[in-house]
Amino acid sequence: MLSDRRQRVLAALIEEYVSRALPVGSRTLVENHNLGVSSATVRNELSVLEDDGYITQPHTSAGRIPTDIGYRSFVDDLLKTQFAGQELDEDARRAAESLRDSASELDDLIEKTTAALARFTNNLTIVLPPSTLRLDIKQITFVSLTPNRVLAIIVTEDGQVLNRHIEFVDEVDSLDLAHAQEVLNRVFAGRGLAEIRADFDEETAELLHSPLVSVLFEEVLACLREGDTGHARRLGLSTMVKQPEFERAQNLMPVLEVLEDDTVLMQILKDSPADSTSVRIGHENAPSQLSGVSVIAGRYGRGASEGVVAVIGPTRMDYAQVIRAVNVARRALGDE
């Protein structure tokens, strides 16, 4: 546990390093920050912080930079002070409401939130939407495009919209199509696939006995599977790779390989806590290829409508700004 004074010195050093991406000397801290102590005291505190592993000196004559331990202490202090409560401030609430009001559907909201978060943080933003396979269906609509072609539109309870074009060899009568729509809404409405499978009984089987209804039932299932939104949305990678930490290809390639693997990525994001924003710094991340980045992630929504939003960037990031931005995104996407 650091004393208040050492925590202030560490915070000042991190602020300087985040903004300049250069090692920070004691003179810079004294000149740019009102620490209330002498230069000699600042030098002494830096020496203690270095001995305790919070900062390090990359070159003999250079200033210091934070270590993962230093960042962790700084972030823990942020979470305890600035982000101790779950409520957003008024500006953050307005930002979340503005995002939510700008979109009519969840898919559109996810796209706009991802773009806004990437633009605001200048880092890679990833949003993992809820899986449509776990969501309840609100409504199914079949639109006749031609006598042999039908558009299926599926709306989930949380506002996701999926569609699928269905081709028929024989012409489909509009009245038969309307009847099939009515039947499938009776089967699906207000329920998800797991519930439908669990409750599949003779009555349901009887409803699906019609060849047209049966075919459309299978098409709806296929649409849900193909449209499953388990794939993460990514934006901001081009901005992240411009950071000084990734100027060398050997530093960047391992990170990109991991981030391109949806299986690994989804596991990383799904490990985030349910009720708060988590911050994993450098070597706290698994796999080891992410030891040079920080992952700030949080869940949004509840139950089957739960997704994950995250920002990934170098450990030298503006943690206060990114944590606040992720909290705003969680609020916008969670509709709380």
Side-chain angles (χ1 to χ4, degrees), residues 166-196:
I166 307 168
E167 302 281 350
F168 292 91
V169 175
D170 299 321
E171 293 186 2
V172 177
D173 182 81
S174 59
L175 292 177
D176 291 339
L177 186 63
H179 173 69
Q181 176 177 303
E182 178 186 351
V183 169
L184 289 182
N185 273 302
R186 288 171 60 187
V187 172
F188 278 97
R191 301 197 293 173
L193 289 186
E195 187 177 352
I196 290 172

Side-chain angles (χ1 to χ4, degrees), residues 23-25 57-64:
V24 182
Q57 198 168 22
H59 308 290
T60 305
S61 59
R64 275 91 162 186

